[in-house]
Amino acid sequence: MSDVDLVVETVRDILTGYEPFVLTAERPWDAGLWSALAEAGLTGVGVPEEAGGSGGELADAVAIVGALAAGAAAVPVAEQLLVAAPAVLAAGLDLPAPEEPLSIAVDGAVTAEPRDDGDGPGSWTLTGTATDVAWAGVARHLAVLASSPVGPVLALVDVAGRDTTHAANLAGEPRGSLVLQGVTSAGALLTDAQAERLRARYALARAVQLSAALQQVLAWTVQYAGERQQFGRPLGRFQAIQMELAEMAGEVTAVAALVDAAVQAVERDESPVLAAAAAKVRAGAAVEVVARLAHQVHGAIGFTQEHRLHHLTRRCWSWRDEAGTETAWARVLGAGLLADGPDALWPALTRVV
Amino acid sequence: MGSNSLTLAPAPRSAAAEEVRAEVREFLAAELAAGSFTTHVDTWLSGVDPAFSRKLGERGWLGMTWPRQYGGHERTAMERYAVTEELLAAGAPVAAHWIADRQSGPNLLRYGTEAQRAEILPRIAAGECYFVIGMSEPDSGSDLASIRTRATRNGDGDWVVNGAKVWTSNAHTSHYAITLVRTSPADPANRHAGLSQLLVDLSLPGITVNPIRILDGGHHFNEVVFGDVVIPGDMLLGEEGAGWHQVTAELAFERSGPERFLSTYPLIAEFARRASDPAQLAALGRISARLLALRQLSLRIAGALDRGELPDIPAALVKDVGTTFEADVIDEVRRVVDVPASLDSPDALGRALAEAQLHAPGYTLRGGTNEILRGIVARGLGLR
Ligand SMILES: Cc1cc2nc3c(=O)[nH]c(=O)nc-3n(C[C@H](O)[C@H](O)[C@H](O)COP(=O)(O)OP(=O)(O)OC[C@H]3O[C@@H](n4cnc5c(N)ncnc54)[C@H](O)[C@@H]3O)c2cc1C
C-alpha cells in the first residue's frame, strides 16, 4: 500500500458511514468505525508485515490520520499509527495486534524499576500515575514513557481492568489518568534523544491532525459563505467576508506547507524535534485565527451542537494544547535553534526542515 | 473546495542550492569581517551600495536564472532563492540592483526586443544597471488601471510622455524605469485596455526626480515627473496595449520572494543574541515557526517558477502572510525585552527595533496592499 490517494479514498469511504458525532461520557469513541478501519487493515499501516502490520510508508499513515482528523473521527489512530506503534517497534518490544487500540502516555510521574538486568527489552515494574492520557479507557494498550534510575523507559502496558480516571478535552475526547501501582510490564531503556524524539513525533501527530482539520474548516467555511444569503447575495460576495476567508486561507496554507515539510524531515530520518516543534507551534497559532473567523463567518448556526463546525473547532482548540503545549514547544524550538550559539540562528533555521 | 489554486507541490530539495548557499555565507562573513557593510533592517529598500552589487555580479549571483547569452548563469530558481535569502538574512546592502534582478530583468527576457535584452541584461547581471518600477501615481495606487500618465506617438514614431509617478523606490540611484503609461484613451468598458510599458532611461531630458522622505528621514522613494519626455519608439516594452497583462505577469516574481518575510530578519538575529529567559525563548520559537512556514511556501513558489508555472495567486497569499509577519516580529520582540527603540540607541537591539518600526508601515503596502492581495486570494477560493 503506497498510493496515498487510494488510502485516503478508502478512509473516506469508510468514514461516510460514521458522521462526526457528539462525544459523551457514555459514548467516548467510535468503536464501530475503529472496527471497520481495523478490518480494512488501516490500523496497521506503516507497521511492517513481519511485525503484524499492513506495511506501507509513513506518508500513508499520515494521510490516514489526516483524513480521519478532517472527519472528526473519534478513534485513536493518530496515537497508534504515528506515535505508539513506531516507538514500540523502535524499542524492540512486541507490538500488540493492530486491531487493539494502542495509545501513548508521555506525561505524569511514572517510574520504572528493572526486574531483570535492564539491558535491552526486559521486564519493568511501573509505579505512579500517567496523566493526560489520550483515549484513556478506550485504548487497550498504552505505551508509557517512564523514568528510571538508568534513563527513560518505554513500557508497554495492557490496561484492561486498570484504574482509570475519566476526563475529556474541549472536544469531549477522553483524556484521563491511569494509576499504575507496581504493574509489571515489558519495557526498554531509551536514550534521552530517543525519548525526545518520541515526544516530538507525538507533537507532530497533533500537528498533522490540526493541519487536516484546519483545511476542512476552511473548506466548510468557504462553502458556507457561497451558500448562505444575506442582503440578497451570498456572504462570500461581501468584501469583509472575503478578507476573513483569505486570512484563514493564508494561515491554513502556511500550516500545511510546514507540516508537510516536517513529515518529510521525519521520513528522511532526520532528528525531527525542531521540525515537529515548529509544525506544532505554527499549527497551534493558526487555530486562533481560523477557529475565530470560521465561527464568525458561520454566524449563530456554527455555535450550535447541531452544526458540524464545532466537531473540528473544538478539537483544534484542544489539540494545540496537547502533546506539549504551544508555549512549551515554542521554548523548545527557541532554545534548540540557539544550540550552536545565537550567531548561528540563521544556519539553524535553514536546517530545520 | 476552492483552496486547490492556493496549494503548490512541495519544493524539491536542491543540493546545488545548498552549495551556493554555503558560498554566499562564506562571502558575507568575509565582507562583514572586512567591514564592507553593516547589517541593517529592510536593506532591499534602503541599502543602496553599487560596489556591493557589482561584487555580487562578479560572483555570478545576479541574473542567475537567465540564459548565458544575456550574461545570466542558467541556474535554477531554487539556487537564486538561496542567494537572495542569505543576502536578506545578513541585512546586506542589496537595494541598488534588487528590482532589476528580481523583476525588470525577467520582464525584459519575456517581453523585451532582442536589442533591449542584448544591451541591458548583461549590465544587470554584472550589477551595474539598476531599475525602478514606475507604476503608482498620485491618484492611482491600488486602482492601478486608473493611471493618467500618457504616452503619445509623435511624427517620428517616438513616444512623448507626460505625467507623474510616485513612491518610485530608488529612482534617484537607478538607470531605467519600466513605466506603465496610457497609450490610448481610457475605455470605461475595459479599464485594463490601452495601457503599455515603456523602457525609460531616467537620464532623459524632461524627467525630474523629487525625493520623498520616509519616517526615519531616509530618502528611498521619489516622485518622478515627466514633462514632454521623448522616448525612442523602440523603447516600448512588449506589446502596445498589453501593459496590464504584462504588469500582472510580473507579480509572481515581485510578490513571492523571501524579501516578503525577511525584511525584519536582522531584528530577529539581534533578538536571538538576547533571548535567554523562557518567555524570550518562547517568543523566538513562535517567530521561528512562522518564518519556517513562510520559507516553505516561498520555496514552493520558487519550485513552481522552475517548472514554468505562474503561481500568481499563491504569491499573493505568501506576500500577505509574509508581510504581516514582518511587522508582527517587532511586536513579539517588544513584548519580551526591556529595550527602548531608538536609532541612537547604544544597544544594537534598540537600533534594530527602531529601524524595523520606522519602516513597518511600508511592508504591507509596497507591491500591492494586503487588502488587495486578500482580494486575489479570495478569487483563488472561488469567491469572486
Ligand atoms: C516602501 C514603499 C515602496 C514603494 N515602491 C514603489 C515603487 O517602486 N514603484 C511603484 O510604482 N510604487 C511603489 N510603492 C507604492 C505602492 O505600490 C502603493 O503604496 C500601493 O499600491 C497602495 O497604493 P496607495 O498608497 O495609493 O494606497 P490606496 O490605494 O489609496 O489604498 C489605501 C488603503 O485603502 C485600501 N484599499 C484601496 N482599494 C481597496 C479595495 N478595492 N478594497 C479594499 N481595500 C482597498 C488599501 O488596501 C489601503 O489600505 C511603494 C510603496 C511603499 C510603501
Side-chain angles (χ1 to χ4, degrees):
Chain A
M1 206 190 257
S2 65
D3 185 348
V4 169
D5 293 338
L6 188 73
V7 174
V8 169
E9 207 180 299
T10 311
V11 174
R12 287 200 183 134
D13 280 350
I14 294 175
L15 253 178
T16 46
Y18 302 89
E19 282 301 303
F21 63 154
V22 177
L23 300 174
T24 63
E26 294 73 47
R27 203 183 174 207
W29 76 307
D30 197 334
L33 173 60
W34 175 268
S35 306
L37 293 168
E39 228 161 85
L42 293 165
T43 58
V45 171
V47 176
E49 288 170 23
E50 312 85 84
S54 323
E57 308 292 321
L58 175 64
D60 300 312
V62 165
I64 292 169
V65 168
L68 290 171
V75 283
V77 171
E79 290 77 3
Q80 174 157 326
L81 292 194
L82 298 186
V83 198
V88 166
L89 283 176
L93 301 170
D94 288 335
L95 193 66
E99 298 80 34
E100 296 180 348
L102 166 68
S103 188
I104 179 94
V106 296
D107 290 316
V110 180
T111 55
E113 283 288 338
R115 285 171 56 88
D116 41 29
D117 61 9
D119 182 22
S123 184
W124 300 74
T125 303
L126 305 180
T127 308
T129 303
T131 54
D132 299 315
V133 179
W135 309 103
V138 167
R140 169 68 194 273
H141 303 275
L142 205 56
V144 178
L145 189 60
S147 58
S148 85
V150 275
V153 168
L154 188 72
L156 189 59
V157 182
D158 183 339
V159 294
R162 301 221 177 272
D163 210 3
T164 306
T165 60
H166 295 282
N169 66 14
L170 294 178
E173 292 177 322
R175 297 294 187 255
S177 299
L178 189 74
V179 183
L180 300 161
Q181 291 303 351
V183 174
T184 303
S185 295
L189 204 53
L190 304 183
T191 62
D192 286 334
Q194 285 170 323
E196 200 41 33
R197 203 183 152 101
L198 169 63
R199 291 178 189 280
R201 284 192 61 140
Y202 196 8
L204 183 59
R206 285 287 182 265
V208 166
Q209 292 177 291
L210 282 166
S211 180
L214 291 169
Q215 289 178 54
Q216 184 63 68
V217 168
L218 172 65
W220 282 344
T221 311
V222 169
Q223 186 192 345
Y224 184 75
E227 291 165 357
R228 172 74 171 169
Q229 304 244 345
Q230 289 296 298
F231 300 98
R233 47 183 169 146
L235 295 178
R237 295 268 161 222
F238 294 100
Q239 199 183 37
I241 299 296
Q242 289 176 0
M243 297 284 124
E244 296 187 334
L245 292 169
E247 191 180 352
M248 290 170 68
E251 292 294 300
V252 168
T253 311
V255 169
L258 184 56
V259 170
D260 284 357
V263 168
Q264 283 173 14
V266 172
E267 268 179 327
R268 288 193 303 270
D269 206 30
E270 289 168 18
S271 165
V273 175
L274 296 188
K280 179 69 165 39
V281 171
R282 184 64 187 90
V287 171
E288 286 175 20
V289 177
V290 175
R292 174 169 51 83
L293 294 179
H295 278 280
Q296 192 67 20
V297 172
H298 274 86
I301 188 69
F303 189 47
T304 65
Q305 269 208 344
E306 279 71 42
H307 195 278
R308 62 188 177 184
L309 181 62
H310 73 99
H311 293 297
L312 290 183
T313 52
R314 290 199 297 149
R315 280 175 172 78
C316 287
W317 285 326
S318 294
W319 292 342
R320 62 179 175 179
D321 287 341
E322 293 178 352
T325 62
E326 210 178 307
T327 301
W329 282 114
R331 275 197 301 268
V332 169
L333 179 58
L337 287 166
L338 297 181
D340 293 337
D343 288 336
L345 174 66
W346 177 252
L349 280 166
T350 57
R351 273 196 311 266
V352 172
V353 281
Chain B
M1 107 153 222
S3 66
N4 283 344
S5 52
L6 303 177
T7 324
L8 293 168
R13 286 168 80 79
S14 160
E18 291 318 299
E19 220 167 278
V20 70
R21 180 189 294 288
E23 289 164 24
V24 178
R25 239 173 233 177
E26 212 172 288
F27 162 80
L28 288 168
E31 292 290 310
L32 268 172
S36 97
F37 75 90
T38 49
T39 296
H40 288 283
V41 163
D42 201 21
T43 44
W44 69 274
L45 174 75
S46 55
V48 173
D49 182 346
F52 190 84
S53 293
R54 279 194 294 271
K55 279 187 206 173
L56 297 180
E58 275 165 27
R59 279 166 176 76
W61 293 333
L62 300 180
M64 284 179 73
T65 60
W66 312 346
R68 283 188 197 285
Q69 72 184 110
Y70 302 120
H73 304 279
E74 300 186 0
R75 302 180 77 157
T76 63
M78 304 299 280
E79 289 169 87
R80 178 177 182 276
Y81 180 92
V83 172
T84 51
E85 200 180 45
E86 290 300 316
L87 292 167
L88 295 163
V94 293
H97 68 265
W98 197 263
I99 304 297
D101 174 70
R102 171 184 80 188
Q103 183 166 354
S104 317
N107 219 5
L108 281 169
L109 262 180
R110 197 180 291 203
Y111 301 112
T113 63
E114 192 46 42
Q116 289 166 352
R117 295 183 197 174
E119 151 80 12
I120 294 172
L121 290 177
R123 290 169 54 210
I124 297 181
E128 288 169 354
C129 180
Y130 314 133
F131 270 68
V132 300
I133 304 164
M135 293 188 193
S136 305
E137 295 187 7
D139 296 320
S140 304
S142 302
D143 183 12
L144 195 56
S146 70
I147 59 154
R148 292 202 293 235
T149 298
R150 328 179 37 86
T152 45
R153 293 256 193 201
N154 68 12
D156 304 328
D158 294 333
W159 298 98
V160 180
V161 178
N162 281 287
K165 295 288 173 182
V166 272
W167 322 126
T168 326
S169 299
N170 296 317
H172 57 305
T173 55
S174 298
H175 306 97
Y176 290 97
I178 293 185
T179 310
L180 188 66
V181 293
R182 181 157 285 297
T183 42
S184 29
D187 172 4
N190 182 1
R191 305 186 66 240
H192 298 149
L195 301 174
S196 306
Q197 285 187 307
L198 292 178
L199 196 54
V200 177
D201 179 340
L202 285 166
S203 66
L204 287 173
I207 297 180
T208 322
V209 176
N210 302 314
I212 303 175
R213 296 194 174 274
I214 65 165
L215 304 186
D216 64 2
H219 169 201
H220 315 296
F221 52 36
N222 302 277
E223 176 196 40
V224 180
V225 183
F226 300 86
D228 285 329
V229 180
V230 179
I231 316 270
D234 59 2
M235 284 292 134
L236 178 73
L237 179 65
E239 239 179 276
E240 184 176 341
W244 185 259
H245 172 74
Q246 292 173 205
V247 160
T248 317
E250 261 178 74
L251 295 175
F253 292 99
E254 171 162 2
R255 289 182 170 158
S256 63
E259 69 267 41
R260 299 306 182 177
F261 57 91
L262 290 179
S263 301
T264 53
Y265 184 80
L267 166 62
I268 302 174
E270 207 47 62
F271 171 51
R273 298 196 176 100
R274 213 61 55 90
S276 57
D277 72 34
Q280 291 168 337
L281 292 174
L284 182 63
R286 281 193 297 271
I287 290 170
S288 300
R290 288 176 71 181
L291 190 154
L292 288 167
L294 285 158
R295 281 193 82 224
Q296 290 305 313
L297 289 176
S298 191
L299 279 162
R300 284 176 179 219
I301 291 177
L305 291 173
D306 265 342
R307 293 191 298 271
E309 297 166 18
L310 197 70
D312 46 347
I313 293 176
L317 181 140
V318 176
K319 185 178 177 291
D320 173 31
V321 183
T323 57
T324 303
F325 166 75
E326 289 183 325
D328 284 354
V329 165
I330 305 165
D331 301 331
E332 276 273 14
V333 172
R334 278 191 66 252
R335 283 190 205 111
V336 291
V337 298
D338 264 336
V339 180
S342 162
L343 292 174
D344 302 321
S345 176
D347 184 331
L349 182 57
R351 293 197 298 277
L353 274 168
E355 286 178 358
Q357 187 67 72
L358 292 170
H359 280 229
Y363 308 149
T364 48
L365 293 176
R366 56 188 175 191
T369 70
N370 289 32
E371 290 75 18
I372 295 296
L373 296 169
R374 286 179 189 178
I376 294 170
V377 173
R379 190 174 316 127
L381 290 169
L383 296 167
R384 313 176 48 199

